[in-house]
Amino acid sequence: MLFRSGVVSIALRRKYLIDFYMYLVASLPGYTISLYRREGPAILATSASDASTSGLERDHGFMQAIRENVLYGSFRQSGRKWEHDRLVEFRRVGSYPIYVAGTVDLNGLFEAWWRGLAVLAVVTLIPVAMVCFWIASQLVRLSTVEVKWAGRVR
């Protein structure tokens, strides 16, 4: 089918979008996903149960980037409004005047990183300690054998 002039419109129910984005962030505490129009108002904002909605329409830098039709970007939002600082990533959806913005609580991100690092340290520290103990015991055994051989050679 060929369209010479005209408008093709596709409508999605708001509940579909909210359910879809809630599915993405349901198990991720501190994450928020929002849709914004280029004019600035939020179309929808979804978040995990313990995260507050982002409210980026009040952020001057974000609104300026949207008005300038920037394709994508990121910035750090200070923790004046929330307990902690947030990392904000945004991207324009194709050539449409709609932006998807995702915010992450930086403290939650660092806590998860430290937990993963602690598990990695425990998992690697125990085998490394066992190998070091084995090497030390072998060196002690070798030194006693050397002393016995030194006594026999004379």
Side-chain angles (χ1 to χ4, degrees):
M1 187 181 291
L2 180 65
F3 291 101
R4 298 233 175 217
S5 63
V7 175
V8 175
S9 175
I10 298 174
L12 294 174
R13 292 181 186 252
R14 184 179 174 102
K15 182 171 177 5
Y16 169 78
L17 291 172
I18 290 173
D19 290 346
F20 173 71
Y21 287 115
M22 281 299 290
Y23 172 75
L24 291 179
V25 298
S27 64
L28 304 169
Y31 286 72
T32 303
I33 297 178
S34 306
L35 289 177
Y36 291 91
R37 293 177 48 107
R38 186 177 299 148
E39 296 82 29
I43 298 173
L44 66 92
T46 61
S47 63
S49 59
D50 66 338
S52 57
T53 56
S54 59
L56 290 173
E57 61 268 2
R58 291 182 291 279
D59 190 288
H60 178 69
F62 176 68
M63 295 311 298
Q64 185 66 29
I66 286 179
R67 285 188 193 101
E68 292 175 1
N69 207 21
V70 174
L71 183 60
Y72 61 90
S74 66
F75 61 93
R76 186 176 185 155
Q77 194 175 34
S78 64
R80 288 172 286 179
K81 191 162 183 94
W82 297 279
E83 296 176 24
H84 311 293
D85 290 353
R86 292 184 171 266
L87 177 65
V88 179
E89 298 278 337
F90 64 92
R91 183 170 186 83
R92 190 176 69 214
V93 178
S95 61
Y96 303 106
I98 295 175
Y99 284 80
V100 175
T103 60
V104 179
D105 179 14
L106 287 176
N107 276 5
L109 186 65
F110 289 135
E111 287 172 7
W113 183 76
W114 277 111
R115 274 193 306 267
L117 187 62
V119 169
L120 181 65
V122 167
V123 167
T124 57
L125 188 62
I126 292 171
V128 167
M130 291 174 63
V131 167
C132 289
F133 178 74
W134 179 78
I135 290 173
S137 67
Q138 294 301 316
L139 288 174
V140 167
R141 189 174 142 237
L142 180 64
S143 67
T144 58
V145 170
E146 284 179 346
V147 168
K148 287 180 184 178
W149 275 101
R152 285 186 182 176
V153 173
R154 293 185 194 169

